[in-house]
Amino acid sequence: MKISIIGTGYVGLVTGVCLASKGHDVICVDQKQEVIDKINNLITPIYESGLEELMIKVIKTGKLVATTDLKSSVMNSEISIIAVGTPFGNDKIDLRHIEKSAWEIGSILMDKEHYHVVCVKSTVIPTTTDTLVKNVLESASGKKAGDFGLTMNPEFLREGKAVEDFMYPDRIVIGAYDNRSFETMKHVYEGFFDAPIINVNLRTAEMIKYTANALLATLISFANEIGSICEKTKDIDVKEVMESVTLDKRFNPRINNQLVNPEMINYLKAGCGFGGSCFPKDVKALISYSKWAGYVPQIIDATIRVNKEQPLKMINRLEEILRTLKGKKVAILGLAFKPDTDDVRESPSIAIINSLLEKGALVYGIDPIANQNMQKIIPEDRKSVWYSTDYKEALKDADAAILVTSWAEFIDIPTQDFSQLMKTLVVVDGRRVLNKKGLEDVGVMYIGVGLS
Ligand code: UGA
């Protein structure tokens, strides 16, 4: 099929490259000339594992082209997939980019004779596609939905594993305005053999996406809440508790007497909170939508509240031990919101560093690849904030260390390095991945989230 994709961020580009690799003719459109130039020069504007190799391949075989020319892209394709950003504004989702894209596509459809399907892939709150997008498309095109097709096809891509998640989806959700839209959209996913195609209405598709993210985020906050109860109770370790709870075969079945260990149970581990470009923004948008729709949510509201407090609890525990943080050098092990990414958006490390700085501490952040991105949020001044990739520099003469991101590099730090390099031997393990006994054996005071 001929497909145009509007927006070449992480969702748009991954979608474009993967669909092109399945044999479709894809045109990636972005208003930013520099982004298009990069793609045409065979450089991915974002880092995503496996993406660049695949992108180069599909560009070289002519299956993917990139342009700023929306008009010719829409005119020369059968489907336009909208994959623009939907950030969280002050108190609700910001749909400006969606509205603008719908208007521009609609204006082009006015002159287009052939049937064309508009698909929303961006995460949007329920009713966005069948009200805002539909209305804007109708006004701009002078046509009625039905003359053109309309679908909502959410993505379930994890950062760092987006290509793999796209190529091997668990399910393909297609919300459709009518049967013709659905049937056309279904052809996009021919060749994704095993994945069930879920045919729902537009607003259900939108809700499925939010529910998926809200559920995962809530699991994390649930584990963190249990951790907080454990912290208040001597000799109960949340790690032991959750490990045992998730051995229930309903969470972790056995096949041929081997535990399956589904990834889901990793979301039931206590830590210093979730971050990233999706969970925080999506749960907040769902809360705001729910209130607008007439229901005041309880559980997902608490999911956000628990998550907001979680990073600061690391600081409170440190302060209890060191009494004051003023002038203390604190090493922050990990800045990215999760390992294997350079993304620091909404990372717990931001709240932790800001709180430390407010309390007069000196912060030494280390991360294998996220330093540059963190610089844009909290710049290095070399008076109170330093960044490095060398953990030894960070630990040297430190009064404390807080592990924020469970990078393999940090898990592998020899315990002697903590004891030999640090001035005061206090380590806060915000992910429960360090060797507690090994650290205690070399004299380090180990403070673990979810452990008194
Ligand atoms: C998340 C969802 O997992 C995707 O399914 C969804 O498509 C995506 O948002 C989106 O809406 O676009 P992502 O933000 O890349 O993907 O991150 P995850 O890998 O799920 O991590 C989110 C948070 O959960 C992180 O803070 C991470 O530390 C935490 N997490 C992740 C865990 O606590 N345990 C894990 O095993 C994985």
Side-chain angles (χ1 to χ4, degrees):
M1 294 188 87
K2 292 187 164 57
I3 302 169
S4 52
I5 300 191
I6 292 83
T8 52
Y10 119 98
V11 172
L13 191 59
V14 170
T15 303
V17 168
C18 291
L19 289 179
S21 80
K22 289 277 181 185
H24 295 294
D25 292 300
V26 174
I27 312 173
C28 280
V29 194
D30 203 291
Q31 59 191 12
K32 291 189 197 129
Q33 185 65 52
E34 68 271 21
V35 171
I36 296 304
D37 289 345
K38 267 196 170 170
I39 296 173
N40 286 327
N41 286 319
L42 307 180
I43 300 164
T44 45
I46 47 137
Y47 177 75
E48 188 58 47
S49 172
L51 185 63
E52 197 156 270
E53 298 92 288
L54 202 55
M55 187 186 84
I56 293 171
K57 204 167 136 196
V58 292
I59 291 179
K60 286 193 170 162
T61 54
K63 283 290 172 192
L64 185 139
V65 293
T67 175
T68 54
D69 184 352
L70 181 66
K71 183 156 190 186
S72 74
S73 310
V74 173
M75 288 308 253
N76 291 308
S77 57
E78 298 148 87
I79 295 182
S80 291
I81 297 179
I82 303 178
V84 295
T86 49
F88 189 73
N90 287 337
D91 55 355
K92 60 177 187 336
I93 190 169
D94 178 351
L95 294 168
R96 257 180 303 173
H97 304 299
I98 291 283
E99 196 172 346
K100 181 168 175 278
S101 302
W103 182 264
E104 288 170 355
I105 295 168
S107 313
I108 299 163
L109 291 184
M110 179 182 258
D111 300 324
K112 190 169 178 187
E113 278 172 28
H114 293 290
Y115 182 70
H116 192 93
V117 173
V118 179
C119 166
V120 176
K121 194 169 257 307
S122 310
T123 301
V124 292
I125 51 169
T127 72
T128 302
T129 309
D130 64 16
T131 56
L132 177 83
V133 175
K134 175 173 159 284
N135 293 344
V136 171
L137 283 169
E138 287 182 339
S139 305
S141 66
K143 295 182 178 175
K144 284 272 159 218
D147 299 337
F148 58 84
L150 190 55
T151 60
M152 200 283 148
N153 171 222
E155 52 81 20
F156 303 96
L157 310 176
R158 288 164 301 170
E159 234 178 274
K161 296 201 170 125
V163 172
E164 179 191 323
D165 285 347
F166 196 98
M167 298 302 244
Y168 304 98
D170 303 321
R171 72 303 212 184
I172 292 159
V173 175
I174 302 178
Y177 175 76
D178 56 12
N179 203 40
R180 193 176 177 196
S181 310
F182 173 73
E183 288 300 325
T184 312
M185 194 71 204
K186 220 169 73 173
H187 292 308
V188 173
Y189 290 105
E190 268 164 11
F192 288 79
F193 314 104
D194 294 330
I197 294 192
I198 317 289
N199 179 5
V200 287
N201 63 27
L202 294 165
R203 46 185 69 183
T204 304
E206 292 162 335
M207 190 64 184
I208 289 170
K209 166 68 194 211
Y210 278 102
T211 306
N213 275 1
L215 173 62
L216 292 169
T218 300
L219 294 185
I220 296 173
S221 280
F222 174 79
N224 285 336
E225 180 151 289
I226 296 295
S228 297
I229 301 172
C230 295
E231 277 172 25
K232 295 286 176 208
T233 320
K234 196 170 176 303
D235 291 337
I236 305 180
D237 183 348
V238 73
K239 209 171 159 183
E240 280 183 340
V241 172
M242 295 313 284
E243 273 170 11
S244 185
V245 167
T246 52
L247 277 175
D248 183 318
K249 60 177 166 300
R250 288 166 293 183
F251 287 111
N252 198 351
R254 280 171 194 270
I255 294 181
N256 297 332
N257 218 21
Q258 288 284 312
L259 281 171
V260 170
N261 285 326
E263 268 186 56
M264 178 68 85
I265 57 176
N266 292 333
Y267 291 81
L268 277 164
K269 289 180 178 164
C272 54
F274 60 78
S277 62
C278 302
F279 284 3
K281 121 178 140 65
D282 290 351
V283 181
K284 283 184 212 158
L286 185 58
I287 292 169
S288 149
Y289 168 72
S290 176
K291 287 182 185 159
W292 175 85
Y295 172 72
V296 179
Q298 311 287 315
I299 294 174
I300 54 173
D301 196 54
T303 295
I304 291 292
R305 277 187 278 122
V306 167
N307 195 56
K308 201 167 171 211
E309 282 167 26
Q310 203 63 17
L312 303 176
K313 290 178 66 189
M314 312 296 119
I315 308 292
N316 294 344
R317 295 197 64 190
L318 196 58
E319 212 168 17
E320 275 168 26
I321 311 264
L322 298 179
R323 290 177 198 284
T324 176
L325 293 171
K326 203 166 168 40
K328 299 284 164 68
K329 174 180 172 181
V330 183
I332 304 295
L333 306 184
L335 304 174
F337 85 96
K338 66 175 182 180
D340 306 318
T341 176
D342 65 354
D343 195 343
V344 298
R345 282 176 289 177
E346 304 263 352
S347 172
S349 60
I350 299 172
I352 288 176
I353 295 175
N354 279 332
S355 167
L356 285 169
L357 292 176
E358 267 167 35
K359 290 173 188 291
L362 311 173
V363 175
Y364 213 113
I366 53 166
D367 195 285
I369 53 175
N371 293 343
Q372 230 180 325
N373 282 337
M374 191 52 122
Q375 284 271 16
K376 295 177 206 154
I377 299 176
I378 305 173
E380 179 179 65
D381 59 7
R382 304 193 82 80
K383 285 188 205 117
S384 54
V385 184
W386 292 261
Y387 296 119
S388 159
T389 50
D390 178 3
Y391 76 83
K392 288 188 177 169
E393 268 181 46
L395 291 182
K396 187 152 182 11
D397 298 327
D399 295 285
I402 307 177
L403 183 134
V404 178
T405 318
S406 46
W407 282 101
E409 288 83 333
F410 302 150
I411 300 171
D412 294 341
I413 297 177
T415 50
Q416 292 86 345
D417 280 359
F418 286 98
S419 61
Q420 285 166 9
L421 291 164
M422 293 176 72
K423 186 162 85 190
T424 321
L425 304 185
V426 181
V427 173
V428 181
D429 186 354
R431 295 291 174 189
R432 297 305 305 275
V433 289
L434 295 175
N435 176 358
K436 174 176 183 289
K437 184 167 180 307
L439 284 167
E440 286 174 344
D441 285 349
V442 294
V444 172
M445 177 186 260
Y446 176 93
I447 301 163
V449 63
L451 178 65
S452 69

